[in-house]
Amino acid sequence: GLIWLFVPALTLILGITIGVLVIVWLEREISAAIQQRIGPEYAGPLGILQALADGTKLLFKEDLLPSRGDIPLFSIGPSIAVISILLSYLVIPFGYRLVLADLSIGVSLWISISSIAPIGLLISGYGSNNKYSFSGGLRAAAQSISYEIPLTLCVLSISLLSNSSSTVDIVEAQSQYGFWGWNMWRQPIGFIVFLISSLAECERLPFDLPEAEEELVAGYQTEYSGIKYGLFYVASYLNLLVSSLFVTVLYLGGWNFSMPYISIPELFGINKTAGVFGMTIDIFITLAKAYLFLFISITTRW
């Protein structure tokens, strides 16, 4: 019984990890295509093992600590950034009743948890005892606070529109009229503001002030090496994936992809509430929408 208690959480973590590896591979392939380069091709077929190879390399690299830095703060910073973003996945529904925690305050919980990540970045910058790192940490905190306000307003407006803060209820509220019921059509300005704020929260270009290679070397990551350095990249891609999934849930109808009054499960003659096939279709539709947004984010950068 105790083992089965951890199975859903471990399955989700495994799925998220694979998702992050796929994003890293996609980032390289899309950037290569846009810039007319070849991209990764030697590590595994089509270079699909390149992200795994990089992760392994960082794992075995020496973990250097700044001699005059605050070592406890320096060490705990990357962990805070990763853990706070991982907790956001608890409330994301991947399908009908396929959510780890269907809470009545789901979206509010996401907003509050995502506010913790910049503290990790600020701690990292401060603990490094380096002017570039500290400046990057301050920029990360300032940017996050600035863009969380429009992000929160967008989320609250969706909650009011759906009469609920539960992520499952928000998806169900959009399912009535097929894709015409999506919140993207009902709140187009909110959708655009949410996209821009999400990019800023993930510190993606053109909102890369905290890293700013030109003037800050690498921002709050300057003094980091090895697996701690890798954790910042994991946090960045985790945040990008969670933002994409929330765009899907809040504005693109979640796991529902149906013409008005005709749903995909009914076309195949299967019951919506049960069956592995129905569940697989739900997960596939959710991820397809999320990766469409990811494609837009990566293309914007390159």
Side-chain angles (χ1 to χ4, degrees), residues 35-53:
Q35 298 178 346
Q36 294 184 336
R37 294 186 286 108
I38 294 168
E41 61 173 349
Y42 294 110
L46 299 172
I48 55 171
L49 299 178
Q50 187 63 55
L52 209 60

Side-chain angles (χ1 to χ4, degrees), residues 1-15 90 99-100:
L2 195 65
I3 293 167
W4 278 108
L5 197 67
F6 291 103
V7 166
L10 291 172
T11 307
L12 185 65
I13 288 168
L14 182 68
L90 290 173
V99 59
L100 214 57

Side-chain angles (χ1 to χ4, degrees), residues 189-231:
I189 296 169
F191 176 63
I192 293 161
V193 170
F194 190 90
L195 290 190
I196 294 166
S197 303
S198 298
L199 279 180
E201 282 286 301
C202 299
E203 293 152 22
R204 302 281 297 180
L205 266 81
F207 303 100
D208 65 330
L209 272 174
E211 286 97 349
E213 289 92 348
E214 293 85 2
E215 65 248 30
L216 290 185
V217 190
Y220 52 82
Q221 311 172 47
T222 308
E223 295 292 335
Y224 282 90
S225 63
I227 191 62
K228 287 176 186 159
Y229 181 75
L231 279 175

Side-chain angles (χ1 to χ4, degrees), residues 32-134:
I34 289 171
Q35 298 178 346
Q36 294 184 336
R37 294 186 286 108
I38 294 168
E41 61 173 349
Y42 294 110
L46 299 172
I48 55 171
L49 299 178
Q50 187 63 55
L52 209 60
D54 289 339
T56 310
K57 182 186 77 173
L58 285 171
L59 197 63
F60 289 106
K61 268 186 177 286
E62 186 183 355
D63 183 21
L64 298 171
L65 300 170
S67 58
R68 295 183 182 180
D70 191 324
I71 304 305
L73 289 180
F74 182 82
S75 301
I76 204 171
S79 309
I80 292 173
V82 172
I83 291 165
S84 62
I85 295 163
L86 271 175
L87 287 170
S88 305
Y89 287 88
L90 290 173
V91 294
I92 295 174
F94 288 89
Y96 184 74
R97 291 184 184 171
L98 201 64
V99 59
L100 214 57
D102 181 14
L103 304 173
S104 58
I105 54 158
V107 286
S108 307
L109 184 76
W110 170 55
I111 291 292
S112 55
I113 286 172
S114 65
S115 308
I116 300 168
I119 298 171
L121 306 184
L122 191 57
I123 285 172
S124 303
Y126 178 76
S128 298
N129 194 16
N130 175 323
K131 61 183 177 183
Y132 295 117
S133 302
F134 188 47

Side-chain angles (χ1 to χ4, degrees), residues 224-243:
Y224 282 90
S225 63
I227 191 62
K228 287 176 186 159
Y229 181 75
L231 279 175
F232 281 121
Y233 276 96
V234 169
S236 171
Y237 285 110
L238 279 174
N239 209 359
L240 191 58
L241 184 57
V242 84
S243 297

